[in-house]
Amino acid sequence: MVTRLQQVVKGAALNFRRTPAEISAAAARLTAREKQVHDKVAAQTQPTFANTIAPLARLENASGGEAALISFLQNVSTDKQVRDASSEAEKALALSRMTSQMRSDVYGSVKKVLDDTQGLKELAPEDRALAESMARQYRRSGLGLSADQRAKLEHTRKRLIELGIEFSRNTNEADGVELFTRAELAGLPDSYFCERATETVDGVEKFVVTTKYPDLVPVMQMAKSEATRRRMLLAEETRCPENIRLLQEAVALRLDAARQLGYKTHAEFVLEENMAKTPNSVLEFEKDLRRRLDVLADSEITEIEQLKQADKKAANETYMGLYNWDFRYYSNLVKERKHKVNEERVKQYFSVEPVTRGILDIYQDILKLRFDKVENPPVWHPDVTMYEVWEADNSAFLGHIYLDLFPRQGKYGHACVNPIQNGSENSDGSRVYPVAAILANFPKPTSTTPALLTHDD
């Protein structure tokens, strides 16, 4: 018999298997719901926390998970049409949020709640903090400006949304690719070539090396050829050249938007809500940090520079300097020669599955939790694993986590945690459970070798 709790757990699982049409329809529903709630708030004749602040907060809770999910798919789906639909949905949702956040009629209702000093005093501390935070966000969105100024700011921010989404899409879709002979990759272990794709160029077999981390990092750490390391670094740092123009435009627009709101710089605008508060605090912190670390850095640079100088002398080549493509390689040599640590040998003891289980066990002990792996999970790719999170004593179900650890075409290229759904309570008292996904790009297992992790991994 299926218990009530088991039904709740099953019902908390999200549906990641969306078609492009379903993604577009979901975005349309979310934007329509957002407008409906904001219209109702704007129409309040006697705004209170209950009829103004609470509905806006509940809207965020009710819609946030679905909005994050359909936007998330652009980072993980194997279907380009789904990724494109997800990007377009994210743009539509972001534009809708921006428009709602700049509505003067809604802000008018929120401000009346804030102006009611007696009503504020009667609120619980959390509710009062929520109301004050909401009003501050409206002001930061330009609601203290004139109508003409708001229109200009809205145009600027709309363009920034478009630029950000286009930039991310380009980065996810484009991988640099270089072809090397085995000789050009001297220094790489045999495992690096296992099941690696090859191409024949002018009768010569060459290995395909991409800028995804499992391809790139070993080359930068172990390839003896400086020319090979240089080619790979340039392939990584010059991919997506179309993003240069986007970034330049975005930097200029961010500065313009900040100045429209009365800030000197974009950094000043962003840091206002952070612990540092001001750009000067950040710069002073960095200055102090650099002062403390420069002595160690200078010593380490001298050490690896001496290694490169010795290599050039042994090869009867002229030493031309230490470059960015040298640091990983010679730092790895220092580790091997000075500290007797060989990453290739060490990682033989750390395959992905036992390491993942071990890390989860540590968190189970520290946080008094239990992670139960879900068999045949409803996920977006066969590589993905899904876990239920429980209190250790089995007293409460807490949410889901997903692990998507291996690279593939079109997937987000770095490591991150995506909070897909925040935990919250519905107006009827039922619980919305939190969901998060961990994305990484560790080396995939082959037919002969499990997925192995370096210490950095």
Side-chain angles (χ1 to χ4, degrees), residues 155-327:
H155 177 77
T156 301
R157 287 189 161 172
K158 178 180 179 181
R159 181 58 182 156
L160 279 169
I161 289 169
E162 294 169 347
L163 289 170
I165 290 172
E166 186 177 354
F167 186 99
S168 296
R169 180 188 293 170
N170 291 341
T171 304
N172 286 350
E173 296 292 338
D175 285 318
V177 177
E178 293 290 320
L179 301 177
F180 296 101
T181 64
R182 183 68 182 256
E184 290 173 321
L185 293 170
L188 276 294
D190 290 341
S191 60
Y192 186 79
F193 301 93
C194 182
E195 299 180 8
R196 180 166 297 280
T198 61
E199 292 184 15
T200 301
V201 180
D202 296 330
V204 178
E205 183 184 54
K206 296 192 174 186
F207 291 91
V208 177
V209 181
T210 74
T211 53
K212 291 187 183 298
Y213 283 174
D215 285 10
L216 174 68
V217 173
V219 171
M220 301 310 296
Q221 285 184 333
M222 291 180 279
K224 294 179 179 180
S225 166
E226 181 176 356
T228 295
R229 299 194 306 272
R230 181 177 183 275
R231 275 177 60 190
M232 280 306 300
L233 185 71
L234 291 177
E236 162 64 6
E237 296 194 348
T238 60
R239 66 190 181 96
C240 302
E242 62 275 21
N243 276 356
I244 296 173
R245 173 186 57 80
L246 303 181
L247 184 59
Q248 290 172 333
E249 185 180 353
V251 168
L253 288 176
R254 280 181 167 182
L255 176 59
D256 183 46
R259 288 178 173 172
Q260 289 178 54
L261 290 166
Y263 299 88
K264 293 178 182 177
T265 64
H266 176 69
E268 188 177 274
F269 169 74
V270 171
L271 290 168
E272 181 182 54
E273 293 205 300
N274 293 350
M275 185 185 294
K277 297 301 182 188
T278 67
N280 187 59
S281 296
V282 174
L283 293 173
E284 286 300 315
F285 175 79
E286 182 187 32
K287 181 180 177 181
D288 179 61
L289 196 62
R290 290 179 68 91
R291 178 180 61 79
R292 296 167 187 267
L293 295 177
D294 275 351
V295 176
L296 291 173
D298 290 343
S299 173
E300 291 180 3
I301 289 171
T302 298
E303 189 172 20
I304 64 175
E305 190 172 31
Q306 289 172 347
L307 283 176
K308 184 175 181 182
Q309 288 171 339
D311 275 357
K312 291 298 182 183
K313 184 176 181 180
N316 198 28
E317 297 176 359
T318 303
Y319 174 73
M320 301 296 291
L322 193 66
Y323 298 98
N324 200 15
W325 52 79
D326 294 322
F327 279 95

Side-chain angles (χ1 to χ4, degrees), residues 218-457:
V219 171
M220 301 310 296
Q221 285 184 333
M222 291 180 279
K224 294 179 179 180
S225 166
E226 181 176 356
T228 295
R229 299 194 306 272
R230 181 177 183 275
R231 275 177 60 190
M232 280 306 300
L233 185 71
L234 291 177
E236 162 64 6
E237 296 194 348
T238 60
R239 66 190 181 96
C240 302
E242 62 275 21
N243 276 356
I244 296 173
R245 173 186 57 80
L246 303 181
L247 184 59
Q248 290 172 333
E249 185 180 353
V251 168
L253 288 176
R254 280 181 167 182
L255 176 59
D256 183 46
R259 288 178 173 172
Q260 289 178 54
L261 290 166
Y263 299 88
K264 293 178 182 177
T265 64
H266 176 69
E268 188 177 274
F269 169 74
V270 171
L271 290 168
E272 181 182 54
E273 293 205 300
N274 293 350
M275 185 185 294
K277 297 301 182 188
T278 67
N280 187 59
S281 296
V282 174
L283 293 173
E284 286 300 315
F285 175 79
E286 182 187 32
K287 181 180 177 181
D288 179 61
L289 196 62
R290 290 179 68 91
R291 178 180 61 79
R292 296 167 187 267
L293 295 177
D294 275 351
V295 176
L296 291 173
D298 290 343
S299 173
E300 291 180 3
I301 289 171
T302 298
E303 189 172 20
I304 64 175
E305 190 172 31
Q306 289 172 347
L307 283 176
K308 184 175 181 182
Q309 288 171 339
D311 275 357
K312 291 298 182 183
K313 184 176 181 180
N316 198 28
E317 297 176 359
T318 303
Y319 174 73
M320 301 296 291
L322 193 66
Y323 298 98
N324 200 15
W325 52 79
D326 294 322
F327 279 95
R328 282 184 181 268
Y329 177 72
Y330 286 103
S331 295
N332 193 50
L333 283 187
V334 169
K335 192 185 297 183
E336 290 183 357
R337 295 178 184 179
K338 182 178 180 180
H339 304 293
K340 310 302 180 186
V341 174
N342 185 305
E343 288 277 12
E344 282 301 302
R345 292 182 181 176
V346 170
K347 76 179 188 181
Q348 304 303 316
Y349 297 90
F350 296 96
S351 58
V352 166
E353 289 194 13
V355 169
T356 300
R357 188 65 253 178
I359 291 173
L360 292 178
D361 287 346
I362 290 171
Y363 279 100
Q364 286 185 155
D365 292 341
I366 294 174
L367 302 176
K368 304 304 179 187
L369 300 174
R370 192 181 83 242
F371 298 98
D372 291 347
K373 188 174 181 180
V374 177
E375 299 300 328
N376 301 313
V379 292
W380 55 90
H381 190 273
D383 287 346
V384 180
T385 53
M386 175 184 178
Y387 292 84
E388 295 172 359
V389 185
W390 294 79
E391 292 282 7
D393 62 4
N394 209 34
S395 62
F397 169 69
L398 300 177
H400 286 118
I401 60 170
Y402 297 82
L403 306 184
D404 187 352
L405 303 181
F406 303 117
R408 58 181 176 271
Q409 180 61 39
K411 182 186 170 186
Y412 180 75
H414 303 284
C416 69
V417 176
N418 275 90
I420 298 173
Q421 180 168 272
N422 294 326
S424 63
E425 188 176 281
N426 294 318
S427 56
D428 63 3
S430 61
R431 182 73 181 159
V432 175
Y433 294 95
V435 176
I438 297 175
L439 306 185
N441 285 274
F442 298 138
K444 292 193 71 168
T446 68
S447 59
T448 58
T449 308
L452 302 173
L453 301 176
T454 65
H455 184 263
D456 284 348
D457 291 333

